[in-house]
Amino acid sequence: MKPASSVLLLTTLTGFGYGLLAWLAVFALCGGLPDSRWFLPVAVVVALAFAGAGLVASMLHLGRPERAWRAFSQWRSSWLSREGVASLVTFPPALGFAVLWWLQGPDSAVAIILGLIAGALGLVTVFCTSMIYASLKPIRQWHNPHTAPDYMLFALFSGAVLLALLLAAWTGKASMAALVALAAAIIAGIAKLAYWRFIDAQPPLATLASATGLKEYGEVRPLDAPHFTENYVLREMGYRIARKHAAKLRRFVVFAAFLLPAVLAALAALGAAPLAASLVAALFTALGLFTERWLFFAEATHVSTLYYGR
Amino acid sequence: MTSLPQPAPNAKKLGLVIDLDTCVGCHACAVNCKEWNTGGHSAPLPDHQPYGEEPDGVWFNRIHSFEAGCGSSSKTVNFPRSCLHCENPQCVTVCPTGASYKREEDGIVLVNADICIGCKLCSWACPYGAREFDELAGVMKKCTLCIDRIYNETLPEAEREPACVATCPSRARHFGDFNDPESKVSKLVAARGGVDLMPELGYKPVNKYLPPRKASIPTKPQEQGGGTGNALLRLLDKVLSR
Ligand code: SF4
Ligand code: SF4
């Protein structure tokens, strides 16, 4: 599948934003946030800015962005529509969380309840995003039990990294969030390795023989293509990446998205230059997860390309 | 609505039967499809660089050729590929806007170009690669089963069939109602063992493909002649026996 940068941005940025929102709610509940009126509202705005930027990026992917509002209508059947609805309904409670916290301070039970609602809705949005991919039967690398949990894990991981950075910037000290980020990096990294193992061992979805209904004749081989240049289907769905490059990029993802942030989060948790460590960790997480998402598309194969012998 | 409709009582199930035994791979159906549809329901079907280095454009019908089997029983099979108007089409249910829909009354799968946002998700959901994006209009396009011909009362009744069916010179394409056991398409499928493409994906395609017949026509071995004299004689023989 062709990796379109707008979609890669959408999924990684909303992961950061809604992951951060979820952790903010949890930390607020556990009393793990700085005793300041300002920290939480600022952090919520950062979270919503990430999520909002992702949503705006996704609009660029549309052929008719001015009609985007129509995408809210089919939530009964479409995960894309559900994603749109969920992302939007997350905003009011998130804003309420920030405003009430600012007005009433860290002891406001209503603020914390609103925060938990917003955090949960944010994760629901990420889940809907993941199901857009996980529900697509023609793409075996997406339509499997790894996709949805992976998206949730990556959102929680990137959100924790972002929270650790915000806390380090605010307090200049080591924080619990760095420990959470460390644990999340390890779990998310293992999940990604397990996903690659899984897709590498997966049999193809179908054969050209079943795609043409010619099973009983034995093996079927492509002879002539209908056209000698690429068409929409091949451009969009026939994207291929050489194994060699994929292997290199996988190594980069393991290093940049998971290993390095884990080490840096550990340093930050130990109080060794928490701000610098958290900042570098966040930058590499962003770069690493963007590459991870790029690979998630580039390595995905669409069954329709069988007709073209791909 | 992109939820699938409950088929109405007495609903039709319109679709095509494609005979892989008789298809000669001439691309006439694809060309006539393009010709009709670039002025029809989903008009226009844009072309990019039609006379340039990399011609490219929206077509609803694409003709492949495959080789099936090995040895003396192997076949060259010409294979037209278009939307199969599936009974369980995920291309419809994934659509966030309701632009993609399946008609209750005859099962035709269509795109409403007035509300499509061009998210392309439906094309990802189609295992058969049947949907092609119109980059100029920013909306998705696909086979309409010539909805603007089959119900077109300004056409003579005999012409109320899809353009691809009307034009096929080897009569390899048939159109009809699969819910009617007496229709030509139902009978052909029953008689010739019509098959579904990729049934394992669960889309339940309506269109059926008739596999090539197994029988082969015995051919006499070519005469083995040698020398120019012989070749001349054979040429003479050919010319005279016309
Ligand atoms: S062939 Fe593809 S586009 Fe046509 S109905 Fe089936 S899934 Fe949809
Ligand atoms: S491209 Fe148009 S028809 Fe296809 S899923 Fe998106 S909105 Fe629906």
Side-chain angles (χ1 to χ4, degrees):
Chain A
M1 300 293 296
K2 184 177 83 188
S5 46
S6 47
V7 181
L8 307 183
L9 279 175
L10 159 76
T11 57
T12 35
L13 291 180
T14 50
F16 269 97
Y18 290 135
L20 173 60
L21 194 60
W23 285 120
L24 283 173
V26 172
F27 272 64
L29 182 69
C30 306
L33 295 178
D35 209 8
S36 144
R37 250 174 112 174
W38 284 100
F39 176 79
L40 183 100
V42 169
V44 168
V45 168
V46 170
L48 295 182
F50 268 89
L55 295 171
V56 170
S58 75
M59 303 246 304
L60 301 177
H61 173 73
L62 302 179
R64 301 297 292 255
E66 79 281 9
R67 297 178 180 168
W69 58 273
R70 292 192 181 272
F72 297 120
S73 66
Q74 302 302 311
W75 47 269
R76 283 185 201 81
S77 75
S78 160
W79 284 106
L80 176 50
S81 187
R82 288 173 196 157
E83 177 199 40
V85 173
S87 66
L88 218 62
V89 297
T90 305
F91 275 69
L95 290 172
F97 179 31
V99 170
L100 280 182
W101 182 285
W102 187 78
L103 288 175
Q104 302 180 349
D107 297 328
S108 165
V110 188
I112 291 175
I113 290 171
L114 281 177
L116 289 171
I117 293 174
L121 285 172
L123 292 182
V124 167
T125 309
V126 175
F127 177 71
C128 292
T129 307
S130 72
M131 285 308 292
I132 297 175
Y133 304 102
S135 67
L136 287 172
K137 288 190 205 163
I139 306 163
R140 63 176 172 86
Q141 291 87 346
W142 296 356
H143 184 61
N144 62 56
H146 285 261
T147 302
D150 282 5
Y151 266 78
M152 306 292 282
L153 280 175
F154 298 153
L156 288 171
F157 160 53
S158 50
V161 170
L162 201 51
L163 179 58
L165 171 61
L166 290 177
L167 283 173
W170 202 272
T171 64
K173 283 196 290 242
S175 72
M176 188 64 199
L179 270 183
V180 174
L182 168 62
I186 294 169
I187 297 170
I190 292 171
K192 194 73 223 186
L193 291 174
Y195 165 82
W196 283 326
R197 248 180 101 100
F198 176 82
I199 62 165
D200 288 347
Q202 236 180 348
L205 258 187
T207 59
L208 186 50
S210 92
T212 52
L214 296 170
K215 259 191 190 143
E216 50 175 312
Y217 294 83
E219 195 209 348
V220 179
R221 300 170 297 277
L223 190 60
D224 273 327
H227 40 92
F228 55 88
T229 54
E230 300 278 282
N231 68 343
Y232 166 73
V233 170
L234 286 178
R235 266 183 277 118
E236 184 79 5
M237 270 139 335
Y239 190 92
R240 277 180 304 181
I241 172 168
R243 263 186 179 276
K244 204 171 64 199
H245 297 313
K248 229 183 254 167
L249 284 170
R250 282 183 181 188
R251 283 197 294 276
F252 175 76
V253 168
V254 171
F255 169 76
F258 307 115
L259 217 54
L260 193 65
V263 172
L264 290 167
L267 285 179
L270 290 172
L275 179 55
S278 308
L279 182 64
V280 178
L283 290 175
F284 271 93
T285 304
L287 189 65
L289 284 183
F290 189 80
T291 315
E292 178 272 324
R293 220 48 55 88
W294 190 91
L295 266 181
F296 180 72
F297 276 78
E299 289 194 298
T301 54
H302 195 279
V303 74
S304 68
T305 58
L306 272 179
Y307 290 108
Y308 290 91
R310 293 199 178 172
Chain B
M1 269 298 292
T2 55
S3 299
L4 294 175
Q6 281 303 316
N10 305 324
K12 289 185 188 165
K13 187 158 85 179
L14 297 182
L16 302 173
V17 162
I18 295 169
D19 190 342
L20 297 181
D21 194 59
T22 51
C23 172
V24 292
C26 67
H27 292 241
C29 54
V31 173
N32 204 32
C33 165
K34 174 87 170 175
E35 199 277 335
W36 175 267
N37 282 294
T38 202
H41 176 274
S42 300
L45 307 192
D47 285 310
H48 316 286
Q49 305 190 32
Y51 306 104
E53 290 274 303
E54 303 263 318
D56 174 11
V58 176
W59 293 67
F60 295 161
N61 191 3
R62 304 271 188 181
I63 320 302
H64 300 251
S65 293
F66 298 111
E67 251 174 7
C70 291
S72 59
S73 62
S74 71
K75 302 239 175 225
T76 298
V77 183
N78 301 300
F79 184 91
R81 177 177 56 86
S82 58
C83 171
L84 308 167
H85 297 279
C86 305
E87 281 186 77
N88 189 16
Q90 221 196 353
C91 61
V92 169
T93 50
V94 299
C95 175
T97 61
S100 276
Y101 62 105
K102 185 167 175 69
R103 283 159 53 103
E104 217 170 288
E105 60 272 38
D106 52 20
I108 298 179
V109 174
L110 290 178
V111 178
N112 178 350
D114 292 335
I115 62 175
C116 171
I117 58 174
C119 67
K120 304 177 183 163
L121 193 56
C122 51
S123 65
W124 296 2
C126 170
Y128 307 102
R131 292 177 169 239
E132 300 207 4
F133 190 64
D134 177 343
E135 312 270 355
L136 296 180
V139 296
M140 194 55 73
K141 299 201 166 164
K142 70 176 290 300
C143 160
T144 67
L145 207 62
C146 282
I147 190 136
D148 41 9
R149 289 179 63 96
I150 59 178
Y151 294 116
N152 192 336
E153 296 190 347
T154 63
L155 289 178
E157 212 174 321
E159 286 179 30
R160 291 182 206 158
E161 57 182 1
C164 56
V165 175
T167 205
C168 176
S170 61
R171 297 263 180 276
R173 306 181 69 100
H174 308 271
F175 163 71
D177 176 11
F178 288 87
N179 270 350
D180 171 7
E182 292 306 311
S183 69
K184 183 174 65 179
V185 286
S186 299
K187 285 182 171 164
L188 270 172
V189 168
R192 298 269 311 279
V195 295
D196 285 355
L197 306 184
M198 281 194 272
E200 62 270 43
L201 265 84
Y203 282 58
K204 296 214 285 153
V206 169
N207 288 9
K208 300 282 183 275
Y209 283 73
L210 305 180
R213 290 181 173 90
K214 281 265 171 65
S216 54
I217 303 162
T219 45
K220 271 193 280 175
Q222 295 272 314
E223 274 176 57
Q224 298 289 319
T228 14
N230 248 339
L232 259 178
L233 277 179
R234 263 187 282 127
L235 186 68
L236 205 63
D237 185 46
K238 246 189 202 164
V239 173
L240 291 178
S241 54
R242 279 204 167 187

